[in-house]
Amino acid sequence: EAQVTQNPRYLITVTGKKLTVTCSQNMNHEYMSWYRQDPGLGLRQIYYSMNVEVTDKGDVPEGYKVSRKEKRNFPLILESPSPNQTSLYFCATATGVSYEQYFGPGTRLTVT
Amino acid sequence: GDSVTQMEGPVTLSEEAFLTINCTYTATGYPSLFWYVQYPGEGLQLLLKATKADDKGSNKGFEATYRKETTSFHLEKGSVQVSDSAVYFCALSWRYGGSQGNLIFGKGTKLSVKP
């Protein structure tokens, strides 16, 4: 079954404590992306990757890092989380042809 | 820059009512257009898409037509059901160029359908 998985699904943490949200896909897609969803703002892109070892900033990259060392994984790293990063995060993947994106189930992050 | 504007919600309808959610875009050229749906507690799912002018996307009774004259991609359904209650997002992306694949979303429209 084609899947995009994210872990953890829910996380409550404290300011400054480094965390990683994992994203994994089994569809062999080249393109992967991270979004955050906030009330009244819709979804905004954080980072994206066109392929292994190729990453680029989206609209709201500040405070986040990513890496793409293998095709199936695209972790999102918050090295020093702050309360304004409390949000619902989605990972998405797509082929390099149609760019029809498939979304993971989301990770709800709360930073206190 | 490119942007997507969709009607503010929430929208509340009775079962079997006609649904229209308006979506307009601003872009240089002709992007691909999408409607995504987010059911409560879930991620986004692609509902339908259109990749060129005058294309009509359709799925699950929903339709939207890519109108380049009005730069619009309005979502319609003739008879909504309670199970259609969700948040609907209009989005655009490019198949080519420096930002290919990146989705630009509208802010979403919450639909509630009452029995």
Side-chain angles (χ1 to χ4, degrees):
Chain A
E1 180 191 351
Q3 273 192 333
V4 182
T5 57
Q6 294 180 226
N7 282 294
R9 294 289 312 279
Y10 303 90
L11 179 61
I12 301 174
T13 189
V14 296
T15 299
K17 185 176 181 182
K18 181 179 179 179
L19 66 92
T20 299
V21 183
T22 65
C23 174
S24 182
Q25 51 106 353
N26 63 0
M27 294 173 279
N28 203 37
H29 285 172
E30 293 85 5
Y31 178 95
M32 297 185 75
S33 181
W34 278 103
Y35 299 88
R36 59 178 289 174
Q37 183 179 16
D38 301 290
L41 296 177
L43 281 92
R44 295 175 292 167
Q45 189 178 48
I46 303 170
Y47 269 95
Y48 65 99
S49 170
M50 300 296 287
N51 214 325
V52 176
E53 302 291 0
V54 181
T55 63
D56 211 341
K57 297 177 181 178
D59 297 319
V60 288
E62 294 78 20
Y64 304 95
K65 285 177 57 177
V66 293
S67 68
R68 187 92 181 272
K69 298 191 187 316
E70 49 188 341
K71 202 171 190 179
R72 62 181 291 123
N73 295 323
F74 190 45
L76 179 69
I77 303 158
L78 286 71
E79 295 213 325
S80 183
S82 62
N84 65 11
Q85 293 178 297
T86 292
S87 188
L88 180 57
Y89 291 87
F90 289 102
C91 178
T93 78
T95 69
V97 177
S98 72
Y99 291 106
E100 180 178 312
Q101 294 197 22
Y102 296 83
F103 283 77
T107 295
R108 185 166 293 282
L109 172 66
T110 302
V111 183
T112 62
Chain B
D2 301 337
S3 65
V4 174
T5 302
Q6 59 183 105
M7 63 188 286
E8 299 273 336
V11 174
T12 302
L13 295 173
S14 298
E15 208 165 22
E16 299 184 3
F18 184 86
L19 169 71
T20 300
I21 301 178
N22 290 336
C23 171
T24 57
Y25 68 90
T26 301
T28 305
Y30 304 110
S32 297
L33 299 174
F34 304 85
W35 277 100
Y36 281 84
V37 58
Q38 184 179 29
Y39 297 105
E42 298 184 11
L44 279 73
Q45 302 173 25
L46 178 65
L47 181 59
L48 53 84
K49 67 178 181 180
T51 57
K52 61 183 188 296
D54 299 326
D55 267 3
K56 177 186 279 189
S58 61
N59 187 25
K60 299 181 181 180
F62 291 89
E63 293 183 341
T65 301
Y66 189 163
R67 303 279 188 204
K68 68 176 182 179
E69 324 79 55
T70 54
T71 61
S72 65
F73 194 54
H74 305 321
L75 182 69
E76 296 182 335
K77 187 175 185 182
S79 177
V80 294
Q81 306 300 312
V82 173
S83 57
D84 293 326
S85 297
V87 181
Y88 292 82
F89 292 91
C90 185
L92 68 81
S93 76
W94 299 97
R95 293 187 67 190
Y96 307 101
S99 59
Q100 63 189 118
N102 295 345
L103 282 169
I104 296 171
F105 285 93
K107 293 184 178 180
T109 302
K110 184 175 182 179
L111 170 67
S112 296
V113 180
K114 300 198 179 305

